[in-house]
Amino acid sequence: MAQETSVRTSLQLGIYKIIDPFVKLLIKIGLTPNAVTSIGFILNVGVAAIFIIGAEDGNRGDFEYVGWAGGLILFAGLFDMLDGQVARLGNMKSVFGALYDSVLDRYSELIMFLGICYYLVAHHYFLSSIFAFIALIGSMMVSYVRARAEGLGVECKGGLMQRPERVITIGVFAIACGITSSYIGGDYKLYIPGLKFHVFETMSVFTFPITLLAVLTNFTAFKRLTDARKALSETKDEQ
């Protein structure tokens, strides 16, 4: 766990060095951390809109909308990092700002998954839509368990699928799905001799990672729950 945290911290510090000049520009033009958070939320509304438009106007094998949504997911995710840095470098930290950031992060993720589920259901990827909904549940529980545990005085961080990892996973593989479809086509299916159903299709580039996300987010939530239980037991024993 300590090694995992160390690697994650090192990556964050490296990213901060890259984005700090842009952060200083945002501060210079007068943007507050809450304004940056709000921009990120609006961009995630845009993500959902792209998925919904793709569901209504696109064809089942047309993954151009998925690719564009993936790009916007990553761009919106950048603002999740920017708001914290704007607060730190601009000396604009506040308790309400931290609360506002957490609340809008949850809304952003819910709205993004709304768009994904709408798209999958509209194009008849019913099983994948169920896994997307399970991934949504896991994502919310990862955050909820941490918030509830910290409310009881227990630090509850770590895990395989925190918000940055979830954003990167969905964004990168959505883009990959869009690019892959331009090479192998949107209706590509891979069959194994002896099986009556296909084991892979173009959409799998996007839906397989979502299925993995469904498993890992809920595993992370459960792991945090057991860690919190252990910490609370140790605290009780010390009293």
Side-chain angles (χ1 to χ4, degrees):
M1 180 68 74
Q3 183 178 4
E4 175 190 320
T5 303
S6 177
V7 171
R8 195 168 188 274
T9 301
S10 298
L11 287 173
Q12 283 182 333
L13 291 175
I15 294 172
Y16 286 153
K17 288 181 181 179
I18 297 172
I19 67 174
D20 276 355
F22 184 54
V23 171
K24 292 175 182 177
L25 175 63
L26 294 179
I27 295 171
K28 188 175 181 179
I29 63 177
L31 281 181
T32 64
N34 289 350
V36 175
T37 301
S38 299
I39 292 171
F41 169 73
I42 293 169
L43 290 173
N44 275 290
V45 172
V47 169
I50 291 174
F51 276 117
I52 292 171
I53 292 170
E56 294 297 325
D57 296 339
N59 299 316
R60 179 181 165 90
D62 178 12
F63 299 122
E64 180 181 357
Y65 290 98
V66 175
W68 282 111
L72 190 55
I73 286 169
L74 293 182
F75 185 59
L78 176 63
F79 282 81
D80 286 343
M81 299 189 69
L82 288 175
D83 55 8
Q85 278 298 89
V86 168
R88 283 185 283 273
L89 295 183
N91 195 27
M92 292 183 277
K93 291 183 180 180
S94 70
V95 175
F96 175 75
L99 175 63
Y100 186 71
D101 179 39
S102 295
V103 170
L104 256 66
D105 279 353
R106 303 292 79 75
Y107 270 116
S108 294
E109 202 156 12
L110 285 164
I111 288 171
M112 178 189 70
F113 272 108
L114 168 65
I116 292 172
C117 289
Y118 191 100
Y119 182 91
L120 294 173
V121 171
H123 288 303
H124 308 292
Y125 296 100
F126 295 118
L127 183 60
S128 295
S129 69
I130 291 173
F131 281 115
F133 187 72
I134 294 172
L136 167 60
I137 293 171
S139 298
M140 292 302 103
M141 291 310 298
V142 166
S143 301
Y144 179 78
V145 172
R146 175 181 174 179
R148 193 70 183 93
E150 291 181 349
L152 296 172
V154 175
E155 186 176 87
C156 192
K157 297 181 181 180
L160 295 171
M161 277 295 165
Q162 300 181 58
R163 178 160 166 75
E165 289 92 331
R166 298 195 298 268
V167 169
I168 291 171
T169 298
I170 294 175
V172 167
F173 284 101
I175 293 172
C177 182
I179 294 173
T180 301
S181 67
S182 66
Y183 286 96
I184 66 175
D187 296 323
Y188 174 82
K189 291 180 175 62
L190 176 65
Y191 290 88
I192 293 179
L195 294 179
K196 295 182 179 180
F197 55 88
H198 60 272
V199 296
F200 177 87
E201 60 182 320
T202 309
M203 188 57 164
S204 300
V205 176
F206 182 50
T207 56
F208 278 1
I210 287 180
T211 302
L212 183 63
L213 203 65
V215 175
L216 293 180
T217 52
N218 285 283
F219 174 81
T220 299
F222 182 76
K223 180 66 166 55
R224 285 185 172 185
L225 183 62
T226 55
D227 288 345
R229 179 186 179 186
K230 182 179 178 181
L232 288 168
S233 297
E234 291 173 353
T235 302
K236 184 178 179 181
D237 292 340
E238 291 173 0
Q239 292 176 349

PDB file of all heavy atoms in Angstrom, residues 14-32:
ATOM      1  N   GLY A  14       4.834  14.856 -10.827  1.00  0.00           N
ATOM      2  CA  GLY A  14       5.326  15.046 -12.192  1.00  0.00           C
ATOM      3  C   GLY A  14       4.311  15.781 -13.052  1.00  0.00           C
ATOM      4  O   GLY A  14       4.675  16.671 -13.834  1.00  0.00           O
ATOM      5  N   ILE A  15       3.025  15.420 -12.912  1.00  0.00           N
ATOM      6  CA  ILE A  15       1.968  16.090 -13.670  1.00  0.00           C
ATOM      7  C   ILE A  15       1.837  17.542 -13.242  1.00  0.00           C
ATOM      8  O   ILE A  15       1.639  18.440 -14.070  1.00  0.00           O
ATOM      9  CB  ILE A  15       0.631  15.342 -13.494  1.00  0.00           C
ATOM     10  CG1 ILE A  15       0.717  13.956 -14.132  1.00  0.00           C
ATOM     11  CG2 ILE A  15      -0.522  16.130 -14.113  1.00  0.00           C
ATOM     12  CD1 ILE A  15      -0.473  13.063 -13.851  1.00  0.00           C
ATOM     13  N   TYR A  16       1.961  17.794 -11.932  1.00  0.00           N
ATOM     14  CA  TYR A  16       1.849  19.156 -11.426  1.00  0.00           C
ATOM     15  C   TYR A  16       2.918  20.062 -12.035  1.00  0.00           C
ATOM     16  O   TYR A  16       2.657  21.228 -12.340  1.00  0.00           O
ATOM     17  CB  TYR A  16       1.964  19.176  -9.905  1.00  0.00           C
ATOM     18  CG  TYR A  16       0.737  18.655  -9.185  1.00  0.00           C
ATOM     19  CD1 TYR A  16       0.844  18.075  -7.916  1.00  0.00           C
ATOM     20  CD2 TYR A  16      -0.520  18.744  -9.755  1.00  0.00           C
ATOM     21  CE1 TYR A  16      -0.278  17.589  -7.242  1.00  0.00           C
ATOM     22  CE2 TYR A  16      -1.647  18.268  -9.094  1.00  0.00           C
ATOM     23  CZ  TYR A  16      -1.514  17.687  -7.842  1.00  0.00           C
ATOM     24  OH  TYR A  16      -2.620  17.214  -7.192  1.00  0.00           O
ATOM     25  N   LYS A  17       4.124  19.534 -12.210  1.00  0.00           N
ATOM     26  CA  LYS A  17       5.204  20.330 -12.807  1.00  0.00           C
ATOM     27  C   LYS A  17       4.858  20.743 -14.229  1.00  0.00           C
ATOM     28  O   LYS A  17       5.227  21.819 -14.685  1.00  0.00           O
ATOM     29  CB  LYS A  17       6.507  19.529 -12.790  1.00  0.00           C
ATOM     30  CG  LYS A  17       7.128  19.369 -11.405  1.00  0.00           C
ATOM     31  CD  LYS A  17       8.434  18.593 -11.490  1.00  0.00           C
ATOM     32  CE  LYS A  17       9.044  18.425 -10.096  1.00  0.00           C
ATOM     33  NZ  LYS A  17      10.314  17.638 -10.151  1.00  0.00           N
ATOM     34  N   ILE A  18       4.120  19.851 -14.923  1.00  0.00           N
ATOM     35  CA  ILE A  18       3.737  20.141 -16.302  1.00  0.00           C
ATOM     36  C   ILE A  18       2.613  21.168 -16.372  1.00  0.00           C
ATOM     37  O   ILE A  18       2.634  22.087 -17.211  1.00  0.00           O
ATOM     38  CB  ILE A  18       3.314  18.841 -17.016  1.00  0.00           C
ATOM     39  CG1 ILE A  18       4.492  17.868 -17.093  1.00  0.00           C
ATOM     40  CG2 ILE A  18       2.767  19.139 -18.414  1.00  0.00           C
ATOM     41  CD1 ILE A  18       4.117  16.493 -17.617  1.00  0.00           C
ATOM     42  N   ILE A  19       1.638  21.041 -15.485  1.00  0.00           N
ATOM     43  CA  ILE A  19       0.447  21.898 -15.576  1.00  0.00           C
ATOM     44  C   ILE A  19       0.565  23.206 -14.787  1.00  0.00           C
ATOM     45  O   ILE A  19      -0.265  24.103 -14.971  1.00  0.00           O
ATOM     46  CB  ILE A  19      -0.812  21.151 -15.105  1.00  0.00           C
ATOM     47  CG1 ILE A  19      -0.754  20.844 -13.596  1.00  0.00           C
ATOM     48  CG2 ILE A  19      -1.021  19.889 -15.910  1.00  0.00           C
ATOM     49  CD1 ILE A  19      -2.028  20.234 -13.040  1.00  0.00           C
ATOM     50  N   ASP A  20       1.589  23.328 -13.938  1.00  0.00           N
ATOM     51  CA  ASP A  20       1.706  24.531 -13.102  1.00  0.00           C
ATOM     52  C   ASP A  20       1.745  25.842 -13.896  1.00  0.00           C
ATOM     53  O   ASP A  20       1.148  26.835 -13.466  1.00  0.00           O
ATOM     54  CB  ASP A  20       2.917  24.421 -12.176  1.00  0.00           C
ATOM     55  CG  ASP A  20       2.587  23.632 -10.905  1.00  0.00           C
ATOM     56  OD1 ASP A  20       1.400  23.276 -10.733  1.00  0.00           O
ATOM     57  OD2 ASP A  20       3.502  23.375 -10.102  1.00  0.00           O
ATOM     58  N   PRO A  21       2.455  25.903 -15.054  1.00  0.00           N
ATOM     59  CA  PRO A  21       2.414  27.161 -15.826  1.00  0.00           C
ATOM     60  C   PRO A  21       0.997  27.534 -16.246  1.00  0.00           C
ATOM     61  O   PRO A  21       0.626  28.719 -16.212  1.00  0.00           O
ATOM     62  CB  PRO A  21       3.298  26.838 -17.045  1.00  0.00           C
ATOM     63  CG  PRO A  21       4.235  25.791 -16.557  1.00  0.00           C
ATOM     64  CD  PRO A  21       3.421  24.947 -15.628  1.00  0.00           C
ATOM     65  N   PHE A  22       0.199  26.531 -16.621  1.00  0.00           N
ATOM     66  CA  PHE A  22      -1.196  26.796 -17.006  1.00  0.00           C
ATOM     67  C   PHE A  22      -2.004  27.218 -15.789  1.00  0.00           C
ATOM     68  O   PHE A  22      -2.876  28.093 -15.882  1.00  0.00           O
ATOM     69  CB  PHE A  22      -1.799  25.547 -17.640  1.00  0.00           C
ATOM     70  CG  PHE A  22      -3.205  25.747 -18.148  1.00  0.00           C
ATOM     71  CD1 PHE A  22      -3.512  26.771 -19.029  1.00  0.00           C
ATOM     72  CD2 PHE A  22      -4.233  24.907 -17.733  1.00  0.00           C
ATOM     73  CE1 PHE A  22      -4.806  26.952 -19.500  1.00  0.00           C
ATOM     74  CE2 PHE A  22      -5.523  25.081 -18.189  1.00  0.00           C
ATOM     75  CZ  PHE A  22      -5.808  26.102 -19.078  1.00  0.00           C
ATOM     76  N   VAL A  23      -1.715  26.601 -14.633  1.00  0.00           N
ATOM     77  CA  VAL A  23      -2.399  26.966 -13.393  1.00  0.00           C
ATOM     78  C   VAL A  23      -2.136  28.432 -13.054  1.00  0.00           C
ATOM     79  O   VAL A  23      -3.056  29.173 -12.687  1.00  0.00           O
ATOM     80  CB  VAL A  23      -1.927  26.065 -12.230  1.00  0.00           C
ATOM     81  CG1 VAL A  23      -2.457  26.584 -10.898  1.00  0.00           C
ATOM     82  CG2 VAL A  23      -2.399  24.633 -12.439  1.00  0.00           C
ATOM     83  N   LYS A  24      -0.893  28.852 -13.189  1.00  0.00           N
ATOM     84  CA  LYS A  24      -0.529  30.242 -12.893  1.00  0.00           C
ATOM     85  C   LYS A  24      -1.231  31.205 -13.842  1.00  0.00           C
ATOM     86  O   LYS A  24      -1.610  32.316 -13.451  1.00  0.00           O
ATOM     87  CB  LYS A  24       0.985  30.414 -12.975  1.00  0.00           C
ATOM     88  CG  LYS A  24       1.735  29.687 -11.864  1.00  0.00           C
ATOM     89  CD  LYS A  24       3.240  29.765 -12.039  1.00  0.00           C
ATOM     90  CE  LYS A  24       3.959  28.992 -10.933  1.00  0.00           C
ATOM     91  NZ  LYS A  24       5.425  28.984 -11.120  1.00  0.00           N
ATOM     92  N   LEU A  25      -1.434  30.764 -15.084  1.00  0.00           N
ATOM     93  CA  LEU A  25      -2.170  31.587 -16.048  1.00  0.00           C
ATOM     94  C   LEU A  25      -3.619  31.737 -15.615  1.00  0.00           C
ATOM     95  O   LEU A  25      -4.187  32.845 -15.684  1.00  0.00           O
ATOM     96  CB  LEU A  25      -2.089  30.960 -17.438  1.00  0.00           C
ATOM     97  CG  LEU A  25      -2.911  31.651 -18.535  1.00  0.00           C
ATOM     98  CD1 LEU A  25      -2.399  33.076 -18.760  1.00  0.00           C
ATOM     99  CD2 LEU A  25      -2.847  30.852 -19.835  1.00  0.00           C
ATOM    100  N   LEU A  26      -4.234  30.651 -15.155  1.00  0.00           N
ATOM    101  CA  LEU A  26      -5.618  30.711 -14.691  1.00  0.00           C
ATOM    102  C   LEU A  26      -5.762  31.657 -13.505  1.00  0.00           C
ATOM    103  O   LEU A  26      -6.734  32.420 -13.411  1.00  0.00           O
ATOM    104  CB  LEU A  26      -6.099  29.302 -14.291  1.00  0.00           C
ATOM    105  CG  LEU A  26      -6.221  28.264 -15.405  1.00  0.00           C
ATOM    106  CD1 LEU A  26      -6.674  26.930 -14.843  1.00  0.00           C
ATOM    107  CD2 LEU A  26      -7.177  28.729 -16.495  1.00  0.00           C
ATOM    108  N   ILE A  27      -4.784  31.601 -12.609  1.00  0.00           N
ATOM    109  CA  ILE A  27      -4.808  32.500 -11.445  1.00  0.00           C
ATOM    110  C   ILE A  27      -4.667  33.942 -11.898  1.00  0.00           C
ATOM    111  O   ILE A  27      -5.360  34.843 -11.394  1.00  0.00           O
ATOM    112  CB  ILE A  27      -3.675  32.122 -10.462  1.00  0.00           C
ATOM    113  CG1 ILE A  27      -3.923  30.728  -9.873  1.00  0.00           C
ATOM    114  CG2 ILE A  27      -3.566  33.152  -9.341  1.00  0.00           C
ATOM    115  CD1 ILE A  27      -2.757  30.194  -9.067  1.00  0.00           C
ATOM    116  N   LYS A  28      -3.798  34.163 -12.878  1.00  0.00           N
ATOM    117  CA  LYS A  28      -3.533  35.521 -13.367  1.00  0.00           C
ATOM    118  C   LYS A  28      -4.771  36.149 -13.994  1.00  0.00           C
ATOM    119  O   LYS A  28      -5.012  37.361 -13.852  1.00  0.00           O
ATOM    120  CB  LYS A  28      -2.385  35.492 -14.384  1.00  0.00           C
ATOM    121  CG  LYS A  28      -1.895  36.857 -14.809  1.00  0.00           C
ATOM    122  CD  LYS A  28      -0.673  36.755 -15.712  1.00  0.00           C
ATOM    123  CE  LYS A  28      -0.167  38.132 -16.114  1.00  0.00           C
ATOM    124  NZ  LYS A  28       1.043  38.043 -16.991  1.00  0.00           N
ATOM    125  N   ILE A  29      -5.572  35.317 -14.689  1.00  0.00           N
ATOM    126  CA  ILE A  29      -6.762  35.882 -15.341  1.00  0.00           C
ATOM    127  C   ILE A  29      -7.958  35.948 -14.386  1.00  0.00           C
ATOM    128  O   ILE A  29      -9.035  36.388 -14.770  1.00  0.00           O
ATOM    129  CB  ILE A  29      -7.147  35.085 -16.603  1.00  0.00           C
ATOM    130  CG1 ILE A  29      -7.539  33.634 -16.249  1.00  0.00           C
ATOM    131  CG2 ILE A  29      -6.019  35.106 -17.610  1.00  0.00           C
ATOM    132  CD1 ILE A  29      -7.989  32.814 -17.449  1.00  0.00           C
ATOM    133  N   GLY A  30      -7.740  35.506 -13.139  1.00  0.00           N
ATOM    134  CA  GLY A  30      -8.753  35.701 -12.110  1.00  0.00           C
ATOM    135  C   GLY A  30      -9.696  34.546 -11.850  1.00  0.00           C
ATOM    136  O   GLY A  30     -10.715  34.715 -11.158  1.00  0.00           O
ATOM    137  N   LEU A  31      -9.395  33.356 -12.367  1.00  0.00           N
ATOM    138  CA  LEU A  31     -10.274  32.209 -12.103  1.00  0.00           C
ATOM    139  C   LEU A  31     -10.041  31.676 -10.692  1.00  0.00           C
ATOM    140  O   LEU A  31      -8.910  31.497 -10.258  1.00  0.00           O
ATOM    141  CB  LEU A  31     -10.012  31.085 -13.113  1.00  0.00           C
ATOM    142  CG  LEU A  31     -10.633  31.245 -14.506  1.00  0.00           C
ATOM    143  CD1 LEU A  31     -10.303  30.040 -15.367  1.00  0.00           C
ATOM    144  CD2 LEU A  31     -12.134  31.430 -14.422  1.00  0.00           C
ATOM    145  N   THR A  32     -11.120  31.411  -9.986  1.00  0.00           N
ATOM    146  CA  THR A  32     -11.040  30.845  -8.637  1.00  0.00           C
ATOM    147  C   THR A  32     -11.094  29.319  -8.728  1.00  0.00           C
ATOM    148  O   THR A  32     -11.520  28.764  -9.749  1.00  0.00           O
ATOM    149  CB  THR A  32     -12.211  31.333  -7.772  1.00  0.00           C
ATOM    150  OG1 THR A  32     -13.437  30.828  -8.334  1.00  0.00           O
ATOM    151  CG2 THR A  32     -12.245  32.846  -7.721  1.00  0.00           C
TER     152      THR A  32
END
